[in-house]
Amino acid sequence: MSRRGGRPEERRARGDRTRRDLIDAGRALFTDPGYFHTSVADIVERSGVGTRGAFYHHFADKAALFRAVFEDVEQDVTLRSIASPPPGADSWERLARGLHDFLDAAREPEVQRIILIDGPVVLGWRTLRSIEERSSIAMIEQIVRGAVADGTIAELPVAELTHMLVAAVEEASLMIAHSDAPDRSRTAAAAVLDRLLDSLARPRPASRRTRRK
């Protein structure tokens, strides 16, 4: 039996590395110069995978790679903000800090370009939302459910409250991304977000309030 190409696990490992290289290259190029100014040839050259054949072995087209890149960036933002609360954080702190961290992420070039600007255009709303519902929205809903259950925030329909909070943060993030003064816009959005969250909260000690500058 021919051993050309190595053992199956070695081939899988090489394939995984190639896919990762393509995603990393796409992540860089879709940030700058952007999806619509990047070709498959550019991605192949940047990734160092060698040929277009290697690209098309893993992705049907450039849009398929963009989806993988979008999921990669979305996961990273979610892990940094919602999925990694500070030690000892209660449900209020997890929710407030997580949503504020999403506003912080809106100042990052790759989040601006891939998630906020090109994502809705390339993927379409339904696909984009289906990705978010499995990651960031699912995480936020879990925290909201816990906050309602433990009495931290008022008892309201969890799914609807989650989606309205997400919509508010996404719209604020777009404003930050398109602002000529993103730091000032971020500060203003943070103040509005705090007031919105305060309107949902049951009375709690002032020491438990989370404020981000």
Side-chain angles (χ1 to χ4, degrees):
M1 178 183 298
S2 171
R3 297 179 60 84
R4 184 177 61 182
R7 297 176 180 177
E9 59 269 23
E10 293 172 343
R11 292 197 299 272
R12 284 194 297 271
R14 285 199 300 272
D16 290 343
R17 285 195 299 272
T18 297
R19 190 176 192 278
R20 183 70 253 173
D21 288 342
L22 288 166
I23 291 174
D24 289 345
R27 191 163 170 164
L29 292 169
F30 294 156
T31 300
D32 184 17
Y35 177 84
F36 296 102
H37 297 285
T38 297
S39 67
V40 170
D42 294 331
I43 296 163
V44 169
E45 180 179 359
R46 175 70 177 249
S47 67
V49 301
T51 66
R52 287 172 179 260
F55 175 93
Y56 288 112
H57 177 75
H58 291 277
F59 299 101
D61 51 26
K62 188 175 70 166
L65 174 62
F66 183 88
R67 174 170 179 157
V69 168
F70 182 97
E71 291 174 340
D72 208 47
V73 176
E74 163 80 2
Q75 182 182 48
D76 281 355
V77 173
T78 300
L79 289 174
R80 291 202 315 265
S81 54
I82 295 294
S84 300
D90 61 16
S91 56
W92 174 265
E93 291 168 322
R94 291 184 66 198
L95 179 61
R97 292 187 62 149
L99 295 178
H100 275 283
D101 284 347
F102 276 118
L103 294 183
D104 287 337
R107 293 182 290 186
E108 300 172 11
E110 69 173 4
V111 173
Q112 289 180 357
R113 174 62 67 178
I114 294 170
I115 299 294
L116 298 173
I117 297 173
D118 285 348
V121 178
V122 178
L123 297 175
W125 184 87
R126 289 186 182 277
T127 298
L128 183 149
R129 183 46 54 93
S130 71
I131 294 169
E132 292 179 333
E133 285 180 342
R134 295 194 301 272
S135 55
S136 57
I137 293 177
M139 286 283 186
I140 294 170
E141 182 168 338
Q142 182 182 18
I143 297 170
V144 169
R145 190 176 303 280
V148 170
D150 66 20
T152 299
I153 62 176
E155 187 171 348
L156 292 166
V158 171
E160 288 77 7
L161 176 55
T162 299
H163 279 264
M164 292 184 75
L165 288 172
V166 168
V169 171
E170 287 185 345
E171 186 63 26
S173 296
L174 280 169
M175 290 181 65
I176 294 167
H178 289 286
S179 175
D180 293 332
D183 290 342
R184 187 172 63 212
S185 181
R186 163 68 178 89
T187 300
V192 175
L193 176 59
D194 280 335
R195 180 61 66 88
L196 174 61
L197 291 173
D198 280 343
S199 73
L200 299 171
R202 294 186 184 277
R204 63 193 186 284
S207 63
R208 292 175 60 186
R209 293 170 182 256
T210 298
R211 289 292 183 266
R212 299 291 300 276
K213 301 297 183 183

